[in-house]
Amino acid sequence: MVQQEAAAAMAPTSNNDSKQQQMQQYWVNGALIVGAGPAGLAVAACLREQGVPSVVLERAGCIAPLWQHRTYDRLKLHLPKRFCELPMAPFPPHFPQYPSRAHFLSYLGSYARRFAIAPHFRADVASARRDGDCGVWRVRARVAGRGDVEYVCQWLVVATGENADPVVPDVEGLAALRRRVPVVHAADYRSGEPFAGKRVLVVGCGNSGMELCLDLCHHGASPTMVVRDSVHVLPREVLGKSTFEMSVAMMRWLPLWLVDRLLLAMAALTLGSVERYGLRRPAVGPMELKSREGRTPVLDIGAVAKIKSGHIKVVPEVKRFVPAGGAAAAAELVDGRVVEADAVVLATGYRSNVASWLKETEREGVYTVGFTRRGLAGIAEEAVRVAEKLGKVWRQQTDQHQRHHPNVRIISPPLHLHRQQPKPSLSCL
């Protein structure tokens, strides 16, 4: 039933051109959403509540592929659950304060079923271009089992997020190193169990890098964390209260600089001085840095204690990887030291892939959700805002159509396509 509803939101169009006949072409009645992660699901649900139909494309074979296939087993949400809810759907009361990966995936599955969201899976978008003559977007995708398909839509919602593709640093010798020792990105890391008893060089000191080091410790490995830049480390909780929740409350009443001073004072009291262990703090406070550059502070869940005890070693940036004896990897650091390891884990983050397929400078009719570096809370706000805007236009189109065709009952209003030269409207499709 869900699949039938999704299919009903779009209809095939015909074209007599022999070249176009090789490509299936579909008119999307409403919005075309690219991405079926939390952002795509949220905006699809909000559009449904506004009465706007949509079609969701997802290049993977499941919803939330980043959470399904690119997260480690011990991952939990970094913020309290009330800051991670999608619109119109609170977490179940029995979920813990910090839901696990399994909890969150269960929540997303329930969310998709509740709002009857049935994405078109294995639809890899190759390009999107604006057809100014017709006032539509033409989005081409390679769909498994169907070949090339062109989706024609009035509105294009980009919801692939900032974490679409893994970032691999350009470090001299890294490519050759892969032939000698295991080199994995955090996207492919599941557990520290395979690394038990091994020396592991973890490149990156964000939330992922810290947590992977902690996980490696729990599985009997010896991690060394590469810190390439300054970083703010805050306790996840102070006296049982969420640090993030306290910062949100303080920012309602206090200036940002004062909130930062209070947060750093709490961090000093609970974590002590982290600079002496190689974790340099930025000159700008954590909330101001987040506001300026989108850089999120690390919320510590135990890694700092392991650093102080020596179970996690901290070293500066890797200059290059050099040949080493045996089966080990050797990393030459910027301070001249050489560190050997049996494996390398790259906790170097992700990047958006939108620029690879959306190259138009004209962005009329394009909306984005999930690109403001404000996490799940930001996604929820953006989804509501975009859906409300499109819902208003949709209702205006419906009212206009009904005034011109009072005896015609419609489920959704058609978009009147036009060219500069008078032609039948379907010629645009």
Side-chain angles (χ1 to χ4, degrees):
M1 182 63 182
V2 170
Q3 294 288 353
Q4 292 173 349
E5 289 183 14
M10 68 179 191
T13 65
S14 61
N15 195 306
N16 292 325
D17 187 276
S18 59
K19 183 177 180 180
Q20 290 294 329
Q21 285 180 352
Q22 299 175 5
M23 178 181 296
Q24 298 180 60
Q25 202 170 46
Y26 287 90
W27 165 248
V28 176
N29 201 13
L32 180 67
I33 302 168
V34 181
L41 297 179
V43 74
C46 291
L47 286 171
R48 182 180 177 88
E49 289 300 295
Q50 292 285 333
V52 182
S54 65
V55 170
V56 183
L57 303 184
E58 171 53 57
R59 68 175 177 176
C62 60
I63 64 169
L66 178 68
W67 286 87
Q68 298 257 27
H69 303 304
R70 292 183 173 183
T71 49
Y72 39 96
D73 295 341
R74 66 174 288 120
L75 177 66
K76 293 184 178 180
L77 297 181
H78 296 128
L79 305 182
K81 61 183 179 182
R82 77 180 187 90
F83 294 101
C84 302
E85 296 171 344
L86 299 186
M88 304 171 290
F91 279 100
H94 65 276
F95 273 26
Q97 176 79 329
Y98 300 94
S100 67
R101 169 180 174 270
H103 284 125
F104 191 56
L105 286 172
S106 172
Y107 170 79
L108 292 178
S110 299
Y111 192 86
R113 290 190 295 273
R114 174 178 174 180
F115 294 102
I117 303 170
H120 293 212
F121 293 121
R122 304 194 186 283
D124 192 5
V125 173
S127 67
R129 67 179 181 87
R130 178 72 175 172
D131 186 335
D133 291 342
C134 298
V136 296
W137 280 90
R138 298 181 181 274
V139 179
R140 296 192 176 188
R142 169 73 68 172
V143 183
R146 295 166 59 191
D148 292 332
V149 179
E150 183 177 70
Y151 296 85
V152 184
C153 59
Q154 178 182 9
W155 299 310
L156 173 61
V157 181
V158 182
T160 51
E162 300 165 306
N163 300 322
D165 294 328
V167 172
V168 177
D170 184 15
V171 180
E172 181 184 346
L174 180 60
L177 182 68
R178 293 177 182 273
R179 296 192 293 267
R180 299 174 56 86
V181 300
V183 178
V184 298
H185 192 275
D188 301 311
Y189 179 101
R190 295 294 170 268
S191 166
E193 186 175 358
F195 303 99
K198 295 183 178 180
R199 300 165 298 173
V200 183
L201 187 70
V202 179
V203 181
C205 62
N207 278 298
S208 293
M210 289 276 198
E211 291 189 24
L212 294 187
C213 285
L214 188 60
D215 186 60
L216 287 164
C217 284
H218 289 167
H219 285 90
S222 299
T224 297
M225 183 172 65
V226 175
V227 178
R228 300 183 296 169
D229 202 354
S230 56
V231 58
H232 277 300
V233 183
L234 304 176
R236 186 173 70 173
E237 292 184 341
V238 176
L239 300 177
K241 297 291 185 180
S242 162
T243 304
F244 178 81
E245 193 167 1
M246 285 190 290
S247 67
V248 170
M250 288 190 292
M251 284 190 291
R252 294 194 186 104
W253 306 101
L254 302 175
L256 201 58
W257 66 267
L258 183 54
V259 173
D260 278 338
R261 287 192 179 183
L262 292 172
L263 288 175
L264 292 176
M266 287 189 287
L269 287 172
T270 55
L271 301 178
S273 174
V274 295
E275 288 88 345
R276 59 184 295 189
Y277 298 100
L279 300 174
R280 297 178 293 109
R281 289 196 182 278
V284 179
M287 294 296 103
E288 185 176 352
L289 191 63
K290 174 69 174 174
S291 177
R292 281 189 191 179
E293 304 178 16
R295 288 176 56 187
T296 302
V298 172
L299 296 178
D300 178 59
I301 57 172
V304 171
K306 292 292 185 181
I307 291 172
K308 290 181 177 181
S309 67
H311 290 90
I312 299 175
K313 297 179 177 62
V314 177
V315 298
E317 186 175 1
V318 174
K319 181 179 180 180
R320 60 181 175 175
F321 289 98
V322 295
E332 181 183 341
L333 308 178
V334 291
D335 63 2
R337 286 182 292 164
V338 175
V339 176
E340 290 193 352
D342 304 305
V344 176
V345 177
L346 303 174
T348 45
Y350 300 83
R351 65 165 62 96
S352 167
N353 66 359
V354 176
S356 67
W357 56 267
L358 181 59
K359 299 180 180 180
E360 293 268 355
T361 56
E362 171 63 54
R363 295 297 171 92
E364 180 183 354
V366 176
Y367 299 86
T368 60
V369 177
F371 291 88
T372 58
R373 298 184 179 181
R374 295 175 56 228
L376 292 167
I379 283 174
E381 292 177 12
E382 295 159 32
V384 170
R385 184 168 59 251
V386 169
E388 287 178 347
K389 184 172 183 178
L390 297 186
K392 181 179 180 180
V393 178
W394 184 262
R395 287 187 292 274
Q396 290 173 348
Q397 292 178 350
T398 302
D399 293 342
Q400 182 181 15
H401 186 275
Q402 289 178 341
R403 283 196 302 270
H404 287 85
H405 307 279
N407 297 322
V408 178
R409 181 179 179 273
I410 60 171
I411 297 175
S412 55
L415 174 66
H416 296 285
L417 304 182
H418 60 87
R419 286 186 182 272
Q420 295 177 348
Q421 300 296 326
K423 291 184 180 181
S425 60
L426 287 181
S427 66
C428 293
L429 301 177

